[in-house]
Amino acid sequence: MMKKLFFIITIIGLSVSSCNKILDEQVPAHKNVDYNVISDQKTAETALVGVYSYLAGGYQWEWHYGLDFSHLCGTTRGSGSSSGGLEAGYEGELIFNTMRADGSYGSKWQAAYRMINAANWVLKLIEDVDESLFTADKKQQIIAETRFMRFFANFFLFRNYSYFFDINSEYGLLYRDEPVNLTNFRVARLNVKDSYDKLIEDLDYCIANGPEFTTVYRASKQTAKAFKAKLLAMRGTQADWNTVISLTNEVITSGKFAMESDHYSIFKKRNASKEVIFSLFISPNTVASNLGTVRCRWSGYYRATDFLKSLSNIGTQYNKAINDTINTYTASTNTYSLNYGSAGKIASYGVTDAELVANSAFIYLRLGEMQILKAEAIARTTGSVTDVLSVLNPLLVRAKDTPFTEQQISGNESLLNFVYLVLLKELALESGIDYEASLRFKDSNGLPKIIGQKQNLSTIDDIKKCVKPIHVNEIIVNELCKQNPGY
């Protein structure tokens, strides 16, 4: 009994701890919380900043957010150059008996629930604060941003630990919509269908009540629309695809974003690019060695696979953005060093720590993804080759790649194959869409593209190997939570 109580307290402590002292003080982790802690607009805004601060809590929100998913679907691989090298890590762990439910996957689980619990505290404490203490619609906007961040953390969990690709599966989110305490920590998982509904609820609230887009570091109506389009594409019903077209059009024509004139400029400008919709804030004071992008560069944790590199000719900007190696010049010794990493998506040039920090970014979503999703939705609804080409060929041209002609596409399967090809060229190694897409696009035998594309996956049943195990501590203290099959 004492052991179980210890685990319960540990789980609750992990759910409410933070690197942000303000939030720790304003949202205390006990039942006797002072419900006047959030008492006006200023204190509510401070608490909201505290929720955003959880993004700075570790690698979960850096390379784990996007590149881990690329590794799962065969577009990245590890160098095996260190004990953390992914050739010896993830590749082996895609087999049940070597993927441990008490391993590193727990850090992702805990990081996401810290953010969720913080968001739930803000939502609980702000509820009874009189609207007269806020200017205009500010109370609803704060709630909207908070609910978006709750969605964002749940979305991360959904892709890692749930069977999001099977609408009929029982293995959905362990969804929490109130702060965790000793009386409510036992929660059963939702099924996948209900998980989608809960995620959409938070996004719809932000779409209806959120602020207009002002910065890539904060949620907005347009940010929520973009993520809803991504989420609906993952669910993939016929009605969803019609909505994806509407949502992507609204984001594209909102006037808030603009496509870069060439593909590589996105990764040179990074968070300053008008194409970016949502991204991680990186302070100039950040220590370079703490950034996942730097670790990717120096250790070779993530490298583009031969499969991905083969999709684009060397002269294209697509190939340049996923290049395996970069030359770093050291002025003091007048030498060049060849380092694993990338000059584009995975990591960036830089000699000093300041240069590395200045050139780092973790782009969660950008306008190019809206273009790709729009094209996919057209292919899955009207099937117009002309309309799909009008969306995707400009992406190819700006990357110095060869556009397609209508004569090269015969039938809907060929059209979808073209969309998938451009999706991988344009978006692999970024937001995880390459993984999501590899599960919904089918090959000529009707099997998901991930089969045969990814090492260790050869049958439809193997797909479940991509779903990570829920941390053993959660299973021990929360008897209602079912573990994923195979662990």
Side-chain angles (χ1 to χ4, degrees), residues 105-124:
Y105 302 101
S107 62
K108 300 180 183 182
W109 184 264
Q110 293 161 359
Y113 279 110
R114 289 188 187 105
M115 188 187 297
I116 290 167
N117 207 62
N120 284 335
W121 270 117
V122 173
L123 294 172
K124 183 179 181 67

Side-chain angles (χ1 to χ4, degrees), residues 295-410:
R295 291 192 67 190
C296 290
R297 173 188 172 188
W298 291 109
S299 66
Y301 274 24
Y302 298 86
R303 298 174 63 189
T305 58
D306 291 340
F307 160 73
L308 182 62
K309 289 185 288 185
S310 71
L311 300 181
S312 303
N313 292 328
I314 292 177
T316 67
Q317 291 188 354
Y318 287 142
N319 191 274
K320 183 178 180 182
I322 61 168
N323 190 21
D324 275 341
T325 56
I326 53 177
N327 280 312
T328 300
Y329 175 67
T330 305
S332 60
T333 59
N334 193 31
T335 59
Y336 286 88
S337 299
L338 195 64
N339 298 293
Y340 290 126
S342 169
K345 293 187 178 186
I346 301 176
S348 57
Y349 285 114
V351 176
T352 68
D353 278 6
E355 288 174 325
L356 287 169
V357 171
N359 290 299
S360 294
F362 297 89
I363 299 172
Y364 298 132
L365 203 60
R366 61 180 175 87
L367 198 59
E369 188 161 338
M370 295 296 99
Q371 301 281 8
I372 297 285
L373 290 176
K374 177 182 177 179
E376 182 181 351
I378 293 170
R380 295 186 186 277
T381 52
T382 68
S384 170
V385 175
T386 301
D387 290 347
V388 170
L389 290 178
S390 71
V391 176
L392 297 187
N393 271 342
L395 297 179
L396 293 170
V397 170
R398 77 168 183 170
K400 308 298 187 292
D401 208 332
T402 306
F404 271 47
T405 65
E406 293 195 23
Q407 289 70 36
Q408 290 176 273
I409 299 173
S410 57

Side-chain angles (χ1 to χ4, degrees), residues 207 220-230 247 250-251:
I207 291 170
S220 67
K221 294 176 183 289
Q222 292 76 27
T223 313
K225 286 180 181 180
F227 273 93
K228 185 176 180 181
K230 182 180 177 75
L247 288 169
E250 289 173 23
V251 175

